[in-house]
Amino acid sequence: MKTTVIGAGVIGLACAYELSELGHEVTVVDSGTAGAAASAGNVGWITPFLSLPRAAPGAVRDALKSFTSAEGPARMRPHVELGFASWVAQFLLSSSKKRSSRRTAALQEFSRQAHQHVDSLLERGVEFEHHKDGLAVVFKDAANLAHYEETAARIRAAGYDGPVTVHRGSDITAFDPAIRGDVAGVMHLETERHVRPESLTQGLAKALVNNGGSLIESEAVLRIEPQKRHGVWTVVTAGGREIPSDNLVVAAGYATRALLKPLGVTVPLEAAKGTSLTARGEGVAPSHPLKLYENMATCSPFDDAVRISGTFDLGRRDFRLDRKRLDMVVRQALSYLDSWHPTETEMEWVGHRPTTVDDTPVIGPVERRPGLYLATGHGTLGVSLGPATGTLAAREIAGQGEQAALTPFRLARFGSRTVRSINL
Ligand SMILES: Cc1cc2nc3c(=O)[nH]c(=O)nc-3n(C[C@H](O)[C@H](O)[C@H](O)COP(=O)(O)OP(=O)(O)OC[C@H]3O[C@@H](n4cnc5c(N)ncnc54)[C@H](O)[C@@H]3O)c2cc1C
């Protein structure tokens, strides 16, 4: 069975590797370098606890607060495409209590498998940097901690069953001496994990090639042509290749939308730009990944560096590093730390979270387009859910039956107009 995967981010590579494990002849095509887009400079959390949609009650209030503050973590850059206004309108509709609770339950159910699929990769010899220190949410303001304890109770009610401990006062320094002793409190999600995301994509790419798969880099897919001579789909690349495929997995991040439009398929995706600094430094480095609550900045310690990331700039599709925004994120993150500060920059980065209107992924076969499978829209959770997505999607593509955890994530949930009847 010849299968082509478009996009070599964490999602495309996880699908490709798992398909190669099931005996498919897999080719992955990427317009850039494998793993170098959204899957590179993020903080690498594997976090069932935080598997929540941003489309939720209070999203509009939080967004407006952020948009009107010079130091707010979120921004919106409207563009002239008709699709953008419709994306925002659908996001608002998805933020109702009822819809958001349904999406949260589905994400919690899916993410419960996250760690098991990461372990399965490690057991099969896929190599990547992996940490089991949990994840700590740090609060400067006691009222925010109290409010978040209520959020934690709701996440528990939605199915999360990991241990959670709250540290206050002198406990905080004992827990992680990198955190300032005068913060209001720290909530430790004990069983969460993190990886160095670049090492995960490199590990998956290497394991794919070891299984006989092919990886074509720096060659954009220009178009997808249906039902040509060799198979169901032909993938046409900028390098002049025509790749015949029995199955086609489209995992091209937010670019999936443009790729599928000519096939009459509308995936309601938008880019949400984020930024990060990876650096070595001086002082006491954090021993846990940190979510710095008031500023929505994040921080992960890796083997030889610390990464600080943040911002959620909706509609920004450019790759320009906004120096002011990155400096703001770093300054905000350091205000939670006792002594650590960066002295030697390893990488400054921007990346785009592929974000759907209900902020949950789109995974599954496309109705009325046999052989075409979608795996994208993981938003803030692509690393968390990448290994699970790869395994379950590969089983469905290989004909092993519908995977129940994926059922809530089909494209059809956005309505019948997502797949138009056109002459292909
Ligand atoms: C600041 C920040 C922090 C984050 N932290 C976390 C975290 O801690 N945990 C977590 O789970 N997630 C996190 N995320 C989200 C995570 O990074 C994404 O969800 C994930 O990387 C998306 O993976 P992907 O494979 O869908 O997309 P990408 O990694 O963007 O891969 C898509 C690929 O498709 C390719 N492509 C596009 N168009 C074409 C074409 N025409 N032809 C060929 N190839 C094409 C691109 O070159 C790219 O390589 C974070 C994101 C940001 C921005």
Side-chain angles (χ1 to χ4, degrees), residues 47-119:
T47 172
F49 183 91
L50 294 172
S51 294
L52 308 165
R54 279 183 189 235
V60 176
R61 183 200 56 219
D62 292 348
L64 288 176
K65 208 165 118 192
S66 179
F67 296 165
T68 51
S69 153
E71 301 256 293
R75 289 267 183 281
M76 185 158 80
R77 169 71 61 91
H79 42 80
V80 284
E81 274 179 28
L82 202 58
F84 186 72
S86 154
W87 190 98
V88 173
Q90 289 182 67
F91 181 89
L92 296 179
L93 285 175
S94 304
S95 300
S96 72
K97 192 171 174 193
K98 191 169 159 199
R99 289 195 193 185
S100 152
S101 306
R102 235 184 5 235
R103 303 313 298 160
T104 301
L107 270 182
Q108 283 291 321
E109 178 70 29
F110 186 21
S111 69
R112 208 167 302 145
Q113 306 186 17
H115 293 150
Q116 145 200 344
H117 291 292
V118 171
D119 287 339

Side-chain angles (χ1 to χ4, degrees), residues 6-12 29-47 219-222 251-256 259 272-276 298 309-311 349 351-354 375-385:
I6 305 177
V10 66
I11 303 301
V29 190
D30 198 286
S31 48
T33 306
S39 303
N42 65 72
V43 281
W45 296 355
I46 312 280
T47 172
E219 197 161 322
V221 170
L222 297 181
Y254 75 92
T256 299
L259 263 175
K273 185 176 168 184
T275 188
S276 71
T298 54
S309 88
T311 71
W349 175 86
H352 303 86
R353 304 168 185 88
T376 187
H378 289 70
T380 58
L381 296 169
V383 182
S384 270
L385 300 177

Side-chain angles (χ1 to χ4, degrees), residues 8-306:
V10 66
I11 303 301
L13 287 169
C15 292
Y17 168 66
E18 296 296 352
L19 282 159
S20 72
E21 288 278 274
L22 297 178
H24 281 225
E25 197 181 314
V26 185
T27 303
V28 182
V29 190
D30 198 286
S31 48
T33 306
S39 303
N42 65 72
V43 281
W45 296 355
I46 312 280
T47 172
F49 183 91
L50 294 172
S51 294
L52 308 165
R54 279 183 189 235
V60 176
R61 183 200 56 219
D62 292 348
L64 288 176
K65 208 165 118 192
S66 179
F67 296 165
T68 51
S69 153
E71 301 256 293
R75 289 267 183 281
M76 185 158 80
R77 169 71 61 91
H79 42 80
V80 284
E81 274 179 28
L82 202 58
F84 186 72
S86 154
W87 190 98
V88 173
Q90 289 182 67
F91 181 89
L92 296 179
L93 285 175
S94 304
S95 300
S96 72
K97 192 171 174 193
K98 191 169 159 199
R99 289 195 193 185
S100 152
S101 306
R102 235 184 5 235
R103 303 313 298 160
T104 301
L107 270 182
Q108 283 291 321
E109 178 70 29
F110 186 21
S111 69
R112 208 167 302 145
Q113 306 186 17
H115 293 150
Q116 145 200 344
H117 291 292
V118 171
D119 287 339
S120 162
L121 291 177
L122 291 164
E123 280 155 21
R124 285 177 286 160
V126 179
E127 290 173 3
F128 52 95
E129 184 184 325
H130 176 233
H131 302 266
K132 290 186 175 178
D133 306 308
L135 193 163
V137 191
V138 188
F139 302 85
K140 285 183 179 170
D141 183 335
N144 289 335
L145 170 55
H147 173 72
Y148 205 69
E149 286 185 293
E150 288 166 24
T151 304
R154 277 201 299 279
I155 297 172
R156 278 203 179 291
Y160 182 79
D161 58 4
V164 177
T165 312
V166 175
H167 299 279
R168 291 185 174 86
S170 57
D171 255 13
I172 293 171
T173 310
F175 165 70
D176 191 330
I179 301 172
R180 281 175 63 132
D182 60 356
V183 299
V186 176
M187 184 183 283
H188 186 207
L189 314 166
E190 295 178 28
T191 48
E192 309 290 271
R193 306 185 189 182
H194 74 290
V195 299
R196 179 131 187 185
E198 311 91 304
S199 74
L200 176 58
T201 47
Q202 279 160 17
L204 286 167
K206 194 170 152 202
L208 167 72
V209 171
N210 284 345
N211 277 356
S214 313
L215 181 57
I216 301 169
E217 295 176 277
S218 306
E219 197 161 322
V221 170
L222 297 181
R223 57 185 188 279
I224 300 163
E225 292 177 351
Q227 292 160 10
K228 280 270 171 101
R229 195 162 41 94
H230 298 292
V232 182
W233 300 99
T234 301
V235 169
V236 181
T237 73
R241 285 179 225 249
E242 295 196 358
I243 307 169
S245 321
D246 302 309
N247 291 293
L248 182 55
V249 181
V250 188
Y254 75 92
T256 299
R257 182 177 187 144
L259 263 175
L260 292 186
K261 204 170 164 200
L263 300 182
V265 178
T266 305
V267 189
L269 275 171
E270 193 42 79
K273 185 176 168 184
T275 188
S276 71
L277 167 78
T278 309
R280 284 173 281 279
E282 284 172 0
V284 182
S287 41
H288 302 84
L290 306 175
K291 177 179 166 74
L292 307 162
Y293 183 84
E294 281 76 13
N295 297 108
M296 287 172 64
T298 54
C299 174
S300 277
F302 297 132
D303 284 347
D304 60 0
V306 171

